[in-house]
Each structure stands twice: as C-alpha cells, then as structure tokens.
Amino acid sequence: MKQRLNEIIISFFTVSIGSIKSGSLKLTVDGVEFAKTYFKKGSIVVNVIDTTPIKKLRKIIELPLNVKEVLSFFSKLKNLAEMFKREKISIIFKWKDKELFILGEEAKPKLKHLLGTDAIEIKNLKDLLFFIKEIA
C-alpha cells in the first residue's frame, strides 16, 4: 500500500513538472535565502544558496553524511530518476551555482555501473562531498 501511494505521488509530481513551461521560485526560510529554483520546459534547476535550513532539518529527513550513505541515497533515487528520464524530465541540483548532480533526461553519467542507471549523473563528487560536509 505504501509503495503504491509513493508511486501515485511520484507520478503526480512527474506530470506536474512536465506541464510547467517556465518560471522561477525563490525560497526563503527564517529570513535566509535558502534556494532559487528555475523551471523550464522539462527541467528544474534547484540552486541551494544557504545550507542553514538543511542543517536544521538534516536529522528529520535523514540526509546522508558520508560517501557510503550518499551512494546508497542515490541508489534509492534510481527509480525516480529513471521515471524522470522516461518522461523526458530533468532535475539539476546545484550548490552555490556549481552543478552537483542531475536526475533524469539530461543525466550523462560517466560511470553508469556505479549506481546501476544512466538516469543519475554525479557532476562533481568533490563538490558534492564538500556540500555534505557543509550540512553535517
């Protein structure tokens, strides 16, 4: 039942993303500019500016904090990323304007076998590890 509910939510999210033509959104948490999100046909770019809100929520949402946990986290994203790819949708995650990873259509991984999919691309492992250190 829980898995079916997750599939429905993911499907709704995917259809919603696919219907967005363009736009932007600035997220502010407690007066701190947290992230800027840009939408264009078939993709979303999330650029995290300040990690303070993530630090506060880290334990609640159980964000991974080491390399092994990061790889496990991306393995869990595999089905979502593959669904995005089938629907020709991309999510690009940045931190301070540096691309960290891409899920979906625009992902072009160099090491497909590492995560077992071609729908997830880790753009810069070094910066991703710095990001993880920043939110720890």
Side-chain angles (χ1 to χ4, degrees), residues 71 74-75 109-117 122 125:
L71 293 176
F74 281 109
S75 293
K110 292 167 184 63
L111 302 171
K112 290 182 208 178
H113 64 279
L114 184 64
L115 297 172
T117 182
I122 297 175
L125 185 57

Side-chain angles (χ1 to χ4, degrees), residues 49-65:
I49 298 164
D50 189 316
T51 58
T52 304
I54 296 174
K55 289 177 193 177
K56 290 178 181 178
L57 292 173
R58 182 179 54 82
K59 290 184 180 177
I60 296 170
I61 57 177
E62 300 176 2
L63 286 173
L65 294 178

Side-chain angles (χ1 to χ4, degrees), residues 26-35 49-54 56:
K26 181 170 65 170
L27 301 172
T28 303
V29 178
D30 291 334
V32 175
E33 189 173 343
F34 164 60
I49 298 164
D50 189 316
T51 58
T52 304
I54 296 174
K56 290 178 181 178

Side-chain angles (χ1 to χ4, degrees), residues 14-96:
T14 303
V15 169
S16 297
I17 292 171
S19 66
I20 296 172
K21 303 291 184 221
S22 67
S24 64
L25 182 66
K26 181 170 65 170
L27 301 172
T28 303
V29 178
D30 291 334
V32 175
E33 189 173 343
F34 164 60
K36 292 181 180 177
T37 305
Y38 305 94
F39 303 90
K40 63 180 181 180
K41 181 82 174 131
S43 71
I44 297 175
V45 176
V46 178
N47 185 24
V48 174
I49 298 164
D50 189 316
T51 58
T52 304
I54 296 174
K55 289 177 193 177
K56 290 178 181 178
L57 292 173
R58 182 179 54 82
K59 290 184 180 177
I60 296 170
I61 57 177
E62 300 176 2
L63 286 173
L65 294 178
N66 63 45
V67 175
K68 185 176 179 183
E69 289 175 337
V70 169
L71 293 176
S72 174
F73 174 74
F74 281 109
S75 293
K76 292 174 186 172
L77 285 177
K78 180 180 171 182
N79 291 338
L80 179 63
E82 289 174 350
M83 182 182 290
F84 286 158
K85 190 167 192 105
R86 279 193 306 276
E87 298 297 325
K88 301 193 181 324
I89 294 171
S90 297
I91 306 289
I92 302 164
F93 188 86
K94 295 180 172 186
W95 176 46
K96 297 181 179 177

Side-chain angles (χ1 to χ4, degrees), residues 94-120:
K94 295 180 172 186
W95 176 46
K96 297 181 179 177
D97 292 320
K98 295 179 186 176
E99 285 188 2
L100 299 181
F101 62 89
I102 299 173
L103 304 176
E105 174 71 12
E106 293 179 36
K108 306 291 183 240
K110 292 167 184 63
L111 302 171
K112 290 182 208 178
H113 64 279
L114 184 64
L115 297 172
T117 182
D118 65 348
I120 300 174

